Amino acid sequence: MQLTSRQAQAILDGGEAKANELGLPVVVAVLDTGAHLKAFRRMDGAVLASIDIAIRKATTAALFQANSEAVWEYCKPGAPAQGLQLTNGGLATFGGGIPLRSLDGTVIGALGVSGGAVSQDIEVAQAALGAFEKLIR
């Protein structure tokens, strides 16, 4: 299964709907399995810095096939791969990046959200993921 444009659009819409509920302008980035940009939305008022952060969160999730915050455990000071976050053009090892999986568990892409506090980005990312999962079930 490949990530479709329709699925990517649903992810953007699901993320934006949750962000609107929270009164939070965010950026949502959707990447394919190769960590290439598939879809993107910057809500009105979202800060410019969030563009790069959302894409890096999604990239981190795609490359490591794990939520972006999970990667921190490998690269934090004293961890076995300290400095890992500096690889691949720079990773974002905090919450808001989630891999996208097909029904058989294969990673087919990732999404990243930035614009609020990390806890808010995670909440928006979870809503975006939920919109994707509704389509594939």
Side-chain angles (χ1 to χ4, degrees):
M1 173 181 176
Q2 289 186 358
L3 182 64
T4 68
S5 295
R6 181 172 174 253
Q7 291 165 339
Q9 185 65 44
I11 291 165
L12 297 179
D13 293 343
E16 183 171 5
K18 185 60 168 182
N20 281 330
E21 260 182 53
L22 299 173
L24 182 69
V26 300
V27 171
V28 181
V30 180
L31 307 182
D32 65 17
T33 190
H36 300 286
L37 192 61
K38 177 80 176 182
F40 176 85
R41 183 168 303 156
R42 177 176 170 244
M43 294 173 62
D44 293 341
V47 299
L48 292 174
S50 291
I51 295 168
D52 184 58
I53 296 167
I55 293 169
R56 286 178 192 262
K57 286 180 181 183
T59 300
T60 302
L63 293 177
F64 290 89
Q65 299 187 3
N67 287 4
S68 54
E69 68 270 19
V71 178
W72 176 244
E73 292 305 312
Y74 298 97
C75 60
K76 66 184 178 183
Q82 188 173 341
L84 178 68
Q85 73 277 14
L86 304 175
T87 67
N88 295 288
L91 304 173
T93 58
F94 43 96
I98 302 175
L100 300 168
R101 297 181 186 277
S102 65
L103 287 176
D104 70 2
T106 303
V107 174
I108 61 168
L111 68 92
V113 174
S114 180
V118 172
S119 61
Q120 293 171 313
D121 290 351
I122 291 170
E123 190 174 353
V124 172
Q126 288 292 338
L129 177 64
F132 166 74
E133 290 176 337
K134 273 185 178 178
L135 283 180
I136 66 166
R137 300 214 186 277

